[in-house]
Amino acid sequence: MVDLHKIQQSFPSKMLLKHRRPISLLSVLLFATVGCFHFAGDISYGFRAIGYTNAMVETSKPVAIHHNPRGKNESIACVIENSLGDGCQGLGFASLVLQTIDDITTCLARGFVPTVIWTECDYCGPPGNGQNYWTWYFEGRDQDIVQQAKTRVCIGPTRIPDASRPSVYLTRSGAMGELVDFRFADMENKVTEYFQPITAETRALVNHVISGYLQPAARVKNTVDTFYQSSMANSVNIGVHVRLKAGHAKEMALYDQTPPKLQDFVQVVQRLTNDIAATNSGREIRIFLASDLDEVIEEFKSKFGDNRVLHIGAFRGEKLEDQWEKRSSGQQLGDQVFSDILLMTKCDYFVHDESNVASVVYYFNPNLKSYYVNGDASDFRRLNAQPRFDSGELFRQAVARETRNLNLSNWWDVSSWAHLETWVRVLWGFLFTETGTNIEQLKCYYKNMKWSKCRNEFVRSKFASNSDMKKLMGL
């Protein structure tokens, strides 16, 4: 019988030794070829990005106009498609919701009829089947107008914090960003460039939009109501949102903020429970806790008791990281985040730090009292103040701001030198960024553009100018 062990030992080693030089050369050429193709592909995407500069970089809300000769509805449909680009770049559920609220408000301020389409995102379902996953989480509204309207306006996916094209919510001179960037902290006198702090007026206007356009789907509402009735209905409830993973701390550092420690949250909740017990004799106090780490759940239960601390079944820690990589888990993760948000909105008090999840909770319930862990007395007064104007007046002010924003010059009105400078900056960013985020974002944009309701206009980089918007708005 042939000795297979000897064959396995001798044949490859002798062959490799004898032909080591050509094999080494072939390996080098192979790696070089693969590297060149990869780099060439990046260069190709980078140069193609020039044609998309307005959409991907310079314009915070690129807009395309599509005319439908078969349409019979004179109302202008405003299609919000923010999932097309940002949705597959690790954007959180709450961040995507805040972007959508900003876009809905912009549509309303322009006098258009908004409708939302989520076709491809980390929290959507299987890609490529043409479904609108917004209706998985929220009640659909004005969905039919997309096909019925003679004119549709599509708001593109990318938003860049840019003071020259402010959000409809941006009211403080010198601040920047869109609603998704707004902070619980007021950083105006602490850093040179800062995102706008959340105010009572911001909260009131956002809640006005939420009440009309972000009603939870019956499926989600039933699940949340069942949990509330069984565990929270007859108690004084404290909602607590704690994010302590390393990624959140890194994000905070980018904005010159220091995240609190776990014990900071525990101390605030301890003081709050003592105050509540002193004024609500005989009533149960429950703590609904939403966190990204199991250790946080364990610490709270050790301090306040297993029966007092409530939470839903959710992925946390390493399990959360594992599930994040699976596209099949997207809707399940979205359900967990949304359920946490809605249950915290049902609480009487809210303990939190900087987080877009906390922002959505704060906006959904305008009567919920904020205990911002990193805040000072001035933050506490600002966040728990009553708005100076009612929602009707706040919306009128938003319309006036949006009209003023349309008087800003378009990107293509600037000099050719500015164009060239921008293109060089775009290419450099796409080709040489350390993380490759820009390249991946562009690929995501290309991949998902086929689902856009203004696909042809976006593909040809045929974007609406401010004068086009003014004409549609009758200005």
Side-chain angles (χ1 to χ4, degrees), residues 4 12 41 107 175 195 218 254 281 344 392 420 434 436 455-456:
L4 294 178
C107 292
F195 293 129
L254 292 175
S281 179
M344 285 188 285
L420 178 61
E434 183 177 347
R455 177 184 181 277
N456 292 333

Side-chain angles (χ1 to χ4, degrees), residues 16-73:
L16 291 174
L17 184 63
K18 181 178 179 181
H19 302 287
R20 61 186 182 277
R21 288 184 178 178
I23 290 174
S24 298
L25 180 60
L26 182 61
S27 299
V28 171
L29 289 175
L30 179 62
F31 280 111
T33 302
V34 172
C36 286
F37 273 115
H38 179 75
F39 187 67
D42 285 353
I43 291 176
S44 173
Y45 269 112
F47 276 102
R48 290 166 72 188
I50 289 179
Y52 285 83
T53 299
N54 190 47
M56 299 302 296
V57 177
E58 284 302 307
T59 304
S60 57
K61 288 181 181 177
V63 174
I65 300 174
H66 178 84
H67 297 288
N68 177 22
R70 297 181 180 180
K72 298 180 180 180
N73 195 319

Side-chain angles (χ1 to χ4, degrees), residues 242 244 258-271 300 351-353 371-374:
V242 182
L244 293 179
T258 302
K261 295 179 172 57
L262 175 55
Q263 289 307 312
D264 297 326
F265 288 93
V266 172
Q267 290 173 8
V268 172
V269 174
Q270 185 66 70
R271 290 196 298 268
F300 265 77
V351 178
H352 63 93
D353 194 54
Y371 287 81
Y372 170 40
V373 174
N374 254 358

Side-chain angles (χ1 to χ4, degrees), residues 53-113:
T53 299
N54 190 47
M56 299 302 296
V57 177
E58 284 302 307
T59 304
S60 57
K61 288 181 181 177
V63 174
I65 300 174
H66 178 84
H67 297 288
N68 177 22
R70 297 181 180 180
K72 298 180 180 180
N73 195 319
E74 296 294 336
S75 298
I76 297 172
C78 192
V79 187
I80 296 160
E81 303 179 318
N82 57 320
S83 68
L84 290 178
D86 292 343
C88 51
Q89 290 300 300
L91 192 71
F93 176 83
S95 298
L96 199 59
V97 169
L98 290 174
Q99 287 185 351
T100 304
I101 293 171
D102 202 312
D103 287 348
I104 290 173
T105 313
T106 300
C107 292
L108 292 171
R110 291 175 176 175
F112 306 155
V113 180

Side-chain angles (χ1 to χ4, degrees), residues 207-236:
N207 183 260
H208 176 69
V209 174
I210 286 173
S211 64
Y213 288 87
L214 278 86
Q215 294 304 305
R219 174 189 63 83
V220 180
K221 189 175 183 299
N222 290 339
T223 300
V224 169
D225 287 346
T226 299
F227 186 101
Y228 178 82
Q229 291 298 328
S230 64
S231 304
M232 301 168 65
N234 298 313
S235 307
V236 178

Side-chain angles (χ1 to χ4, degrees), residues 374-390:
N374 254 358
D376 55 27
S378 62
D379 292 322
F380 188 84
R381 288 193 298 270
R382 169 173 49 83
L383 294 170
N384 291 297
Q386 291 298 312
R388 294 168 295 169
F389 310 101
D390 62 23

Side-chain angles (χ1 to χ4, degrees), residues 131-175:
Q131 290 191 27
N132 180 10
Y133 291 108
W134 171 259
T135 58
W136 175 258
Y137 301 104
F138 300 95
E139 292 182 0
R141 179 163 177 177
D142 297 314
Q143 303 292 308
D144 295 337
I145 196 173
V146 176
Q147 302 302 328
Q148 296 172 356
K150 291 183 177 180
T151 304
R152 76 173 68 120
V153 174
C154 299
I155 297 182
T158 303
R159 50 262 305 129
I160 304 296
D162 184 356
S164 68
R165 288 185 178 273
S167 161
V168 70
Y169 283 93
L170 196 62
T171 59
R172 186 175 293 196
S173 177

